Amino acid sequence: MKYLVLLLAVIGITACSCSSEKVEPTPTTHTAEPTEVIDQDLMIALSKAKNFHHKARVYMSDGKLAEATASVREIMALKFPAGAPEAEDVRNDARALLAKLLVSQNQLDEAMRTVQEGIAQSQRESFFVANLYTVKGEIHEARAATLDPKDPAQAAQLVEEKHAAISAYDKSNDINSALQNKLMEDR
Amino acid sequence: MATDDDNDILTGAVPEPDAPASSSERTHAKTFAELVDKSLTGRTPPPAMSADDRALLEVATVIRAASGNVELSAGKRRSIVEDALRQAVGGAGATKSGSVTPIARGRTRRWAPWAIAAASTFVAAAAILLLWLRGPAKTVTPPVERSAEIPTEWKSRPADPLIGPIKQEHAGDASDRIDAIFADRLDGYRDRALTARGRKAP
């Protein structure tokens, strides 16, 4: 009996030594970064942004512009997955709406600051950046509208604001044209 | 039975070879012959005897055993035969005597260690041969998700192709645009997470 146990032990040890399939551990580095695919975090952030926009629209329909502005500001604070291109697009679109809300509340300087921050922080040109330039042009127009053309002290500033508005609209058109051409080439 | 004459034989003068036996010698020879007869027939030996008689008795026993004419008593023979038959048929009382082992089992006990040692050596040699002959260990690398293999609709990407140029009169319609972006990305997310194609993907 003891010889049989010894034989089984030898066979067992031999079998263990013959297990040749080595499975390497899962590599920690993937060629596809987590931000390259649509994941749950991105969907949650987009869902929250959508709800804040709808909430702001309800407030606007009731004439509650301050509450609508606060709701849109919430979108800026949303946390998106790192490197997600949607994050920049959604924030720029929210900035455009926020700037228009501020203009409607006669907060032109705050509106201009909101738009310029969005343009400065953008990593690439997009239709949303072009839209920011469009809103910037509207803000310049709004500023020009507040100036008295008969007042010599404000006449020069008026001309300057109008020129700035034209430049902003032109920049918006340029971005849109370049992007459209690029998209057509990609197709 | 030891007597003073016994000592005379050993310590006394050595008689001539052709000299007739003395009476004491005859008596001693007769006594020793009876002692040998008792021992060979299995009868109880006397409780005490001289050291010389005991030595002579042992020599006589050895000589008789060597001649091959020793026969066991009938009772002893019957007992041994019955024991052997019981072991042969595997009876319960086979091991009682312990003096007789079946031939087959004896052979098995003799060859088992050698057979197991040979088998172990064979297995070890086969394992060494296998380790030597096989090539370098194949490594199973988990599939890596490559960016190029991911469908576009599953990727996080700019929303420009979806939205297109934004007209000035729609500059503030961000709510409609976020609805479109969310719906489009949800389609891709569901396709990746819920469909069979998405589940098969790395």
Side-chain angles (χ1 to χ4, degrees):
Chain A
M1 186 62 187
K2 62 182 179 182
Y3 297 110
L4 186 62
V5 172
L6 183 64
L7 177 62
L8 291 175
V10 169
I11 292 173
I13 293 167
T14 307
C16 289
S17 67
C18 288
S19 59
S20 58
E21 289 284 310
K22 291 181 180 176
V23 179
E24 288 186 348
T26 305
T28 53
T29 304
H30 288 271
T31 52
E33 296 297 327
T35 54
E36 289 188 358
V37 293
I38 300 168
D39 58 6
Q40 195 174 22
D41 291 342
L42 177 62
M43 292 313 301
I44 289 172
L46 289 174
S47 175
K48 286 182 177 178
K50 182 171 71 79
N51 289 339
F52 280 127
H53 273 298
H54 282 262
K55 190 175 165 184
R57 193 165 64 181
V58 172
Y59 280 129
M60 283 188 280
S61 67
D62 285 345
K64 297 178 179 177
L65 298 182
E67 287 84 349
T69 302
S71 182
V72 175
R73 284 188 191 278
E74 295 277 2
I75 297 170
M76 312 289 193
L78 285 177
K79 188 178 179 183
F80 281 81
E86 288 91 343
E88 188 176 303
D89 293 344
V90 169
R91 285 177 186 141
N92 281 341
D93 218 10
R95 282 182 184 278
L97 175 59
L98 179 60
K100 290 180 76 72
L101 282 169
L102 291 170
V103 168
S104 65
Q105 295 170 77
N106 205 26
Q107 299 178 33
L108 300 181
D109 291 340
E110 180 68 15
M112 182 59 77
R113 190 162 41 248
T114 300
V115 168
Q116 286 178 332
E117 281 177 2
I119 292 171
Q121 291 174 10
S122 295
Q123 303 292 316
R124 59 186 168 81
E125 290 189 336
S126 66
F127 292 130
F128 300 93
V129 174
N131 190 41
L132 282 178
Y133 278 106
T134 301
V135 175
K136 185 183 178 190
E138 290 179 356
I139 296 169
H140 283 299
E141 278 194 88
R143 278 180 175 174
T146 61
L147 299 172
D148 184 3
K150 295 178 182 175
D151 184 354
Q154 297 181 3
Q157 189 182 356
L158 176 63
V159 172
E160 190 178 327
E161 291 290 347
K162 285 184 177 179
H163 283 172
I166 291 169
S167 296
Y169 289 135
D170 285 343
K171 180 69 176 175
S172 177
N173 288 339
D174 291 344
I175 293 172
N176 280 335
S177 298
L179 271 177
Q180 277 186 304
N181 290 335
K182 188 173 184 305
L183 288 175
M184 291 299 289
E185 287 173 5
D186 290 344
R187 289 178 184 175
Chain B
M1 183 66 68
T3 62
D4 291 339
D5 293 336
D6 295 340
N7 296 331
D8 293 338
I9 293 172
L10 297 175
T11 57
V14 177
E16 291 296 325
D18 296 331
S22 63
S23 61
S24 66
E25 283 177 333
R26 290 179 186 279
T27 305
H28 192 269
K30 187 178 179 183
T31 306
F32 184 71
E34 289 175 357
L35 195 60
V36 171
D37 287 344
K38 281 183 181 178
S39 173
L40 295 181
T41 54
R43 284 181 288 175
T44 306
M49 65 180 77
S50 68
D52 295 329
D53 285 349
R54 187 176 296 280
L56 289 171
L57 186 60
E58 287 178 358
V59 170
T61 306
V62 169
I63 290 170
R64 180 171 173 80
S67 67
N69 294 327
V70 177
E71 289 187 1
L72 295 173
S73 64
K76 186 74 174 174
R77 279 201 303 267
R78 189 165 50 251
S79 172
I80 290 173
V81 169
E82 285 178 359
D83 259 3
L85 290 174
R86 263 193 234 106
Q87 286 180 359
V89 300
T95 58
K96 279 185 178 176
S97 76
S99 57
V100 180
T101 304
I103 294 172
R105 190 185 297 177
R107 283 179 181 168
T108 305
R109 284 184 180 174
R110 204 179 316 135
W111 285 103
W114 293 101
I116 291 173
S120 303
T121 307
F122 176 75
V123 170
I128 291 170
L129 200 62
L130 186 67
L131 288 170
W132 187 36
L133 291 179
R134 71 174 185 176
K138 294 177 181 176
T139 54
V140 180
T141 307
V144 176
E145 189 174 19
R146 298 187 182 282
S147 178
E149 296 170 355
I150 304 173
T152 305
E153 60 268 23
W154 294 358
K155 288 181 182 177
S156 173
R157 58 196 187 279
D160 294 310
L162 178 68
I163 300 302
I166 301 167
K167 293 180 180 178
Q168 188 174 358
E169 58 267 29
H170 298 301
D173 295 343
S175 179
D176 295 337
R177 288 189 286 273
I178 189 66
D179 285 348
I181 294 170
F182 178 80
D184 181 80
R185 298 304 187 263
L186 186 61
D187 282 346
Y189 178 71
R190 281 179 173 164
D191 190 47
R192 178 173 181 263
L194 302 177
T195 64
R197 183 173 66 128
R199 282 196 297 271
K200 284 179 184 174

